[in-house]
């Protein structure tokens, strides 16, 4: 294979190579029949296959208007009039083929279920094979740093461990079906505000521990066939031409050998991007092709660099084409059932006062269903990932179906206009709620505000929906709210409901999943992967968002999401990892594979989990680790592993959590390397980040590593490095009549009060005649 690729590259002209490394149209790679090279198709998205027949199969020339129609598409433009795969065909994106609209990232990750996400990846792969798609442009795993971010609904979590593991599961499932993934957006594209202009300014430790860590984890566990660079600048350099990011980190440190492609129109300097490691420019532009050819022909780009990119491109094409399965027929009804299951596993029960849910005939008989989203469900975000659903479960229909003859169900819109209360509709809803035993209100955020090239304006739900909740609560004490939203929202209305189901954007199966949870056919088991704030102003990034003068400082550093709330000892509205169940789980019998480990070891943490309730359920067990105090600031705790366990009533099962000790490392800016600090670490096992149930200590042994000292460091810093301290004592002894032991005693006694640097301490306070160069050489253990 390698020989064939090298021979093909050798036979190619400069123009051939330019064509190969540039897209053809919007969604295809180049075809070079003279070299036996066929094109492949790639398309969005992360949670559904968006195949535009006009843009992919059409003969007419595409335009910028076609691209704009993709990124500005809103979720309501793909709503079907019928739940049979025909609905939505008259929408703006009318030529998109119907496909399964699975739960969006913000919902999916709340399942914490890597095995189920793997199945979703397989289903996406089969639908890609059905449509002839070779690369699916996802998943996206940018950290959800601020809930205002327009594309937060596509991403998984505020934490890199959850993000990386969920992404790896989806990628492995997708690629097992012979379809390549494109892990995106690399990197630090954490909001949509002026996204192609903004410069994300992030100190290296936070960059590596938070914003790159999830990518590294996903790549190690799944090896995606492609990685997509992002639109933004990172620390002054466009990410699509950032050699630190694409060469040093991605290829040299992580060993990634796949293809890197640009985001669409994300390249600003094509020769610079290729030199930095961005192999494929998407989509096709005459400007990029012209500048790349000129750079090749002038010698500004070395042929070895160009040929390496061509080799990666040919390797990808060969991999995709060898795995093509013409004639594949996707089982869309089975995939719909999977979407229902995924939604049910991901929906989070945030509140359930007086055990109002599940609804049973013993507790309630008359149910008022209110709110427009019960009829017109909000199932996905807007932009390039938006999918035309093959089927669509409307919550109201599913509630009628599941309720059957055991309940009396009636419906009123209550708020037909999203922005303005409708007096007559509200009165009808109130009349219905007044005579019911319970009111189930469907509410959402603004449809279309989430998406590309813009962020949310606030964290509120729709004003008319909030007004409906408050008004219904005045006549009905038993209020259940079913919420649909891209990311966290503020909830000043929370005291006015007894129960709250958070669905985020749960895809085409959301309606059935909600109905089954409401009536207890399914036990809710989702848990939050973001922290829900009390107010927008308390969120970690608030003081630095959205930036100014085209620079966005990530001033909170490491303290993103729960790390910030823990460090400041703030109580959020709902903590990271939180979610209720209809049953209760007990944790017990925590044990470790060893109480003392080294940095090359693995540590296995085991515990018993028991279902103490009367209903079968699933629990998500979370392992957090608290590092010892040291020179570097650390978060109070960080998630390191998780597991989901299913238990029948009364059943006890052993849960095992396995981590590498190397994963306890932090990035040391002074050493420019990952360092496992020696000392005592506390292992914390809990139901959420704020509900820690069991704890144990483990001693970690590692070779101490020290930052190089200079003559202006303090005596205390010197004493903390025993080898360097001994060398300095010998240097001083060579100039002093005092014995080494006496010198050591004097320096140790002087250290606590000596604020001046070493050179001044030695020359002025001890009266030693030494040169700065000699002191610095001894500190560096170099000859002088």
């Amino acid at each position: 294979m390698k020989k064939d690729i090298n021979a093909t590259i050798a036979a190619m002209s400069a123009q051939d190579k330019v064509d190969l490394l540039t897209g053809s149209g919007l969604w295809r790679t180049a075809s070079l029949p003279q070299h036996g090279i066929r094109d492949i198709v790639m398309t969005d998205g992360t949670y559904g296959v968006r195949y535009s027949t006009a843009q992919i199969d059409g003969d007419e020339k595409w335009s910028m208007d076609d691209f704009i129609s993709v990124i500005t598409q809103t979720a309501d433009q793909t709503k079907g009039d019928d739940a049979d795969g025909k609905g939505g065909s008259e929408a703006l994106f009318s030529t998109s083929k119907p496909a399964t609209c699975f739960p969006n990232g913000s919902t999916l990750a709340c399942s914490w279920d890597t095995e189920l996400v793997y199945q979703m990846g397989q289903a996406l792969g089969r639908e890609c094979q059905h449509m002839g798609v070779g690369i699916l442009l996802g998943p996206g795993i940018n950290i959800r740093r601020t809930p205002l971010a327009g594309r937060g609904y596509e991403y998984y979590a505020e934490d890199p461990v959850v993000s990386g593991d969920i992404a790896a599961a989806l990628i492995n499932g997708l690629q097992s079906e012979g379809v390549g993934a494109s892990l995106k957006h690399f990197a630090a594209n954490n909001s949509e505000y002026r996204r192609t202009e903004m410069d994300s300014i992030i100190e290296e430790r936070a960059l590596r521990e938070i914003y790159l860590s999830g990518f590294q984890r996903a790549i190690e566990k799944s090896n995606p066939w492609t990685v997509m660079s992002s639109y933004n600048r990172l620390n002054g350099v466009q990410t699509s031409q950032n050699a630190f990011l694409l060469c040093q980190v991605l290829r040299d440190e992580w060993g990634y050998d796949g293809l890197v492609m640009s985001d669409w129109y994300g390249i600003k300097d094509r020769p610079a991007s290729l030199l930095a490691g961005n192999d494929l420019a998407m989509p096709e532009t005459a400007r990029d092709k012209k500048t790349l050819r000129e750079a090749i022909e002038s010698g500004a780009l070395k042929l070895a660099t160009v040929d390496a990119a061509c080799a990666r491109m040919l390797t990808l094409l060969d991999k995709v084409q060898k795995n093509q399965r013409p004639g594949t027929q996707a089982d869309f009804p089975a995939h719909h059932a999977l979407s229902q299951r995924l939604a049910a596993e991901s929906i989070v029960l945030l509140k359930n006062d007086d055990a109002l849910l599940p609804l049973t005939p013993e507790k309630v008989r008359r149910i008022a269903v209110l709110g427009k989203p019960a009829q017109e469900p909000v199932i996905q975000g807007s932009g390039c990932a938006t999918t035309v659903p093959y089927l669509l479960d409307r919550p109201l229909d599913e509630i009628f179906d599941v309720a059957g003859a055991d309940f009396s169900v009636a419906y009123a819109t209550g708020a037909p206009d999203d922005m303005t209360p409708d007096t007559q509709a509200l009165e009808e809803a109130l009349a219905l709620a007044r005579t019911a035993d319970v009111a189930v209100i469907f509410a959402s955020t603004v449809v279309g505000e989430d998406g590309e090239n813009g962020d949310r304006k606030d964290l509120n739900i729709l004003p008319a929906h909030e007004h409906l909740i408050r008004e219904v609560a005045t006549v009905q004490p038993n209020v259940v709210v079913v919420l649909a939203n891209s990311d966290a929202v503020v909830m000043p209305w929370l005291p006015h409901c007894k129960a709250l189901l958070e669905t985020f954007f749960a895809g085409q199966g959301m309606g059935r999943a909600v109905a089954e949870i409401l009536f207890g056919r399914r036990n809710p088991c989702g848990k939050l992967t973001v922290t829900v704030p009390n107010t927008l102003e308390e969120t970690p990034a608030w003081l630095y968002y959205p930036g100014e003068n085209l620079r966005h400082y990530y001033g909170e550093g490491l303290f993103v999401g729960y790390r910030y709330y823990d460090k400041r000892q703030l109580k959020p509205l709902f903590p990271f990892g939180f979610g209720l169940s209809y049953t209760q789980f007990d944790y017990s019998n925590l044990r470790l594979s060893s109480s003392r480990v080294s940095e090359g070891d693995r540590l296995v943490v085991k515990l018993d989990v028991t279902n103490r309730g009367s209903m079968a359920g699933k629990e998500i067990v979370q392992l957090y680790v608290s590092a010892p105090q040291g020179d570097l600031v650390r978060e109070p705790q960080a998630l390191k592993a998780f597991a989901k366990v299913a238990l029948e009533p009364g059943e006890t099962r052993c849960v095992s959590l396995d981590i590498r000790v190397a994963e306890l490392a932090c990035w040391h800016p002074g050493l420019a390397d990952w360092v496992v600090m020696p000392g005592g670490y506390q292992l914390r096992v809990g139901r959420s980040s704020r509900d820690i149930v069991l704890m144990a200590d483990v001693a970690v042994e590692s070779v101490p590593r020290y930052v190089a000292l200079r003559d202006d460091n303090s005596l205390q810093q010197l004493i903390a490095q025993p080898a360097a301290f001994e060398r300095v004592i010998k240097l001083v002894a060579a100039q002093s009549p005092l014995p080494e032991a006496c010198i050591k005693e004097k320096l140790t006694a002087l250290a606590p009060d000596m604020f001046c640097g070493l050179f001044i301490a030695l020359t002025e306070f001890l009266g030693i005649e030494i040169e700065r160069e000699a002191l610095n050489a001894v500190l560096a253990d170099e000859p002088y």
Side-chain angles (χ1 to χ4, degrees):
M1 173 61 193
K2 185 175 182 181
K3 183 178 179 181
D4 292 341
I5 286 176
N6 290 338
T8 300
I9 294 171
M12 296 173 74
S13 67
Q15 186 61 54
D16 291 337
K17 294 174 182 179
V18 168
D19 291 342
L20 179 66
L21 299 176
T22 309
S24 177
L26 270 176
W27 307 109
R28 291 182 180 271
T29 62
S31 173
L32 285 77
Q34 68 273 30
H35 297 292
I37 298 171
R38 295 180 289 118
D39 64 4
I40 61 172
V41 172
M42 56 184 74
T43 192
D44 293 304
T46 299
Y47 57 85
V49 185
R50 185 186 47 72
Y51 191 104
S52 168
T53 53
Q55 294 179 358
I56 296 174
D57 300 333
D59 295 328
E60 56 190 71
K61 185 173 177 58
W62 57 275
S63 68
M64 180 58 76
D65 288 342
D66 294 312
F67 178 65
I68 296 300
S69 74
V70 174
I71 64 172
T72 58
Q73 184 187 5
T74 59
D76 58 353
Q77 289 169 320
T78 58
K79 287 179 184 175
D81 296 323
D82 305 289
D84 59 1
K86 299 176 183 178
S89 61
E90 301 304 319
L92 171 64
F93 219 67
S94 59
T95 55
S96 282
K97 294 180 179 180
T100 306
C101 179
F102 287 104
N104 296 191
S106 59
T107 301
L108 181 67
C110 293
S111 72
W112 301 65
D113 193 328
T114 54
E115 292 181 8
L116 197 57
V117 173
Y118 180 90
Q119 294 178 37
M120 173 177 157
Q122 288 180 306
L124 288 169
R126 295 185 193 109
E127 294 190 20
C128 283
Q129 293 284 9
H130 176 94
M131 299 180 197
V133 173
I135 301 289
L136 191 63
L137 302 174
I141 63 164
N142 295 92
I143 291 294
R144 284 158 69 186
R145 172 179 176 252
T146 169
L148 290 173
R151 295 179 79 175
Y153 74 91
E154 289 188 50
Y155 307 138
Y156 296 135
E158 66 188 25
D159 180 87
V161 169
V162 180
S163 297
D165 286 3
I166 295 293
L170 187 130
I171 292 167
N172 283 327
L174 178 69
Q175 294 184 168
S176 74
E177 294 296 323
V179 176
S182 191
L183 186 64
K184 63 184 185 182
H185 304 87
F186 195 60
N189 184 183
N190 303 101
S191 66
E192 295 302 290
Y193 175 78
R194 302 181 73 171
R195 60 180 174 168
T196 63
E197 306 170 78
M198 293 300 289
D199 187 0
S200 299
I201 308 296
I202 312 175
E203 56 93 9
E204 189 172 1
R205 187 171 168 214
L207 177 65
R208 287 181 176 271
E209 291 189 26
I210 302 295
Y211 298 98
L212 298 184
S213 179
F215 284 94
Q216 182 180 13
R217 195 175 181 94
I219 288 169
E220 286 178 352
K221 293 189 172 191
S222 66
N223 193 25
W225 293 0
T226 74
V227 169
M228 184 189 294
S229 59
S230 56
Y231 283 123
N232 54 291
R233 292 177 174 86
L234 173 60
N235 293 331
V237 182
Q238 202 75 37
T239 58
S240 60
Q241 58 199 56
N242 192 316
F244 164 77
L245 198 61
L246 304 181
C247 281
Q248 179 183 325
V249 173
L250 182 62
R251 297 202 187 281
D252 297 343
E253 296 181 17
W254 297 353
Y256 180 69
D257 61 359
L259 180 123
V260 176
M261 71 171 75
S262 73
D263 204 341
W264 269 232
Y265 298 103
I267 286 179
K268 298 190 177 179
D269 184 330
R270 182 59 181 127
S273 72
L274 188 69
L275 183 63
N278 209 317
D279 305 307
L280 175 63
M282 290 299 295
E284 178 184 11
T285 71
R287 179 193 65 258
D288 283 348
K289 297 173 85 167
K290 178 176 181 292
T291 57
L292 183 57
R293 177 166 180 168
E294 289 172 349
I296 293 172
E297 292 179 340
S298 69
L301 272 176
K302 293 181 180 179
L303 274 181
T305 301
V306 178
D307 290 352
C310 288
R312 287 190 286 266
M313 187 66 197
L314 290 172
T315 300
L316 174 68
L317 292 173
D318 181 71
K319 189 181 295 185
V320 170
Q321 288 162 355
K322 280 183 175 178
N323 283 282
Q324 286 175 337
R325 303 171 187 172
T328 297
Q329 295 295 313
D331 189 342
F332 288 101
H335 293 175
H336 181 62
L338 177 60
S339 75
Q340 293 172 327
R341 183 181 170 196
L342 280 159
E345 295 278 330
S346 304
I347 290 170
V348 185
L349 178 63
L350 290 178
K351 184 177 182 180
N352 194 23
D353 289 356
D354 301 330
L356 179 58
L357 296 179
L359 303 176
T360 64
E362 294 75 26
K363 291 188 289 186
V364 299
R365 297 297 298 238
R366 295 165 298 176
I367 302 171
V369 179
L370 310 173
K372 188 167 72 171
Q375 279 275 46
E376 300 177 24
V378 180
I379 64 167
Q380 62 179 320
S382 303
C384 69
T386 307
T387 304
V388 176
Y390 179 83
L391 291 169
L392 181 62
D393 291 343
R394 286 188 171 83
L396 183 60
D397 296 340
E398 304 303 323
I399 287 172
F400 274 116
D401 182 58
V402 176
D406 292 333
F407 301 88
S408 171
V409 179
Y411 172 72
T413 304
D417 187 310
D418 287 341
M419 306 308 294
T420 306
D422 182 307
T423 303
Q424 181 177 347
L426 178 61
E427 286 302 320
E428 293 173 359
L430 293 177
L432 194 62
R434 192 176 287 110
T435 59
D437 299 317
V438 62
V440 179
I441 304 175
F442 286 78
S444 75
T445 48
V446 178
V447 174
E449 188 176 277
D450 51 82
E452 302 203 39
N453 210 31
D455 290 338
R456 298 163 68 192
K457 296 179 177 64
D458 54 48
L459 300 186
N460 300 318
I461 65 171
L462 282 162
H465 293 188
E466 178 171 349
H467 184 68
L468 178 62
I469 293 169
R470 292 179 180 274
E471 290 298 310
V472 169
T474 64
V475 300
Q476 173 55 253
N478 295 322
V479 174
V480 179
V481 172
V482 180
L483 191 59
N485 44 295
S486 61
D487 208 324
V489 296
V490 292
M491 303 179 185
W493 42 266
L494 186 62
H496 301 280
C497 68
K498 278 191 176 181
L500 173 60
L501 283 177
E502 171 62 271
T503 73
F504 292 108
F505 289 160
Q508 68 183 48
M510 179 271 282
R512 185 68 180 188
V514 166
E516 293 189 343
I517 289 173
L518 286 174
F519 292 100
R521 288 196 182 181
R522 288 187 182 269
N523 193 344
C525 58
K527 294 198 177 189
L528 294 172
T529 58
V530 291
T531 303
V532 177
N534 297 284
T535 66
L536 172 59
E537 291 77 14
E538 78 175 27
T539 56
W542 172 247
L543 291 178
Y544 314 101
Y545 174 88
E548 58 187 7
N549 196 31
L550 299 181
R551 292 164 71 84
H552 190 165
Y553 287 90
Y554 286 41
E556 71 279 9
L558 296 171
F559 300 105
V560 177
Y562 67 88
R563 290 167 166 84
Y564 175 85
Y565 284 85
D566 289 348
K567 188 68 174 178
R568 293 202 59 203
Q569 298 182 8
L570 298 176
K571 184 180 180 181
L573 187 60
F574 295 108
F576 176 86
F578 176 81
L580 300 174
S581 171
Y582 294 154
T583 190
Q584 303 81 41
F585 300 99
D586 288 348
Y587 293 21
S588 62
N589 194 22
L590 181 65
R591 60 263 193 206
L592 310 182
S593 57
S594 176
S595 61
R596 185 173 295 274
V597 293
S598 300
E599 55 185 305
D601 296 339
R602 300 191 78 91
L603 178 64
V604 180
V605 179
K606 293 184 178 182
L607 67 148
D608 295 335
V609 181
T610 302
N611 182 348
R612 292 298 184 195
S614 59
M615 185 176 186
K618 296 181 180 179
E619 174 66 334
I620 296 161
V621 181
Q622 302 156 47
L623 172 63
Y624 298 84
V625 176
S626 178
Q629 293 293 318
D631 291 339
L632 298 180
V633 174
R634 302 293 292 266
E635 62 274 271
Q637 60 181 4
L639 181 75
K640 293 300 177 183
F642 60 88
K644 191 168 187 176
V645 57
L647 295 166
E648 293 297 319
E651 183 182 7
T652 297
R653 290 183 63 184
C654 173
V655 174
S656 181
L657 300 159
D658 187 348
I659 61 173
R660 294 175 299 169
V661 176
E663 294 173 17
L664 304 180
C666 63
W667 180 260
H668 198 304
L671 296 170
D673 199 1
W674 292 96
V675 176
V676 176
M677 298 294 186
Y681 288 73
Q682 186 177 73
L683 307 178
R684 304 174 175 180
V685 179
R687 302 182 181 95
S688 78
S689 64
R690 289 294 176 93
D691 188 3
I692 303 300
V693 182
L694 302 172
M695 292 184 289
D697 295 325
V698 62
V700 175
E701 298 173 342
S702 64
V703 178
R705 298 180 61 187
Y706 301 112
V707 176
L709 297 173
R710 295 286 303 171
D711 58 78
D712 58 350
N713 285 117
S714 70
L715 268 174
Q716 286 185 310
Q717 288 173 302
L718 173 64
I719 293 169
Q721 298 192 20
F725 190 26
E726 291 300 323
R727 293 196 300 271
V728 170
I729 289 171
K730 291 183 182 300
L731 174 68
V732 172
Q735 305 289 328
S736 171
L738 296 174
E740 291 184 8
C742 186
I743 294 170
K744 184 174 184 178
E745 184 179 342
K746 287 176 71 70
L747 290 176
T748 302
L750 186 61
D753 299 320
M754 179 51 63
F755 61 89
C756 300
L758 289 174
F759 184 74
I760 292 176
L762 298 178
T763 57
E764 298 300 321
F765 286 84
L766 292 186
I768 303 300
E769 290 294 330
I770 57 173
E771 298 295 327
R772 285 184 185 272
E773 293 77 7
L775 177 58
N776 283 322
V778 167
L779 290 171
D781 199 16
E782 296 173 350
Y784 176 73

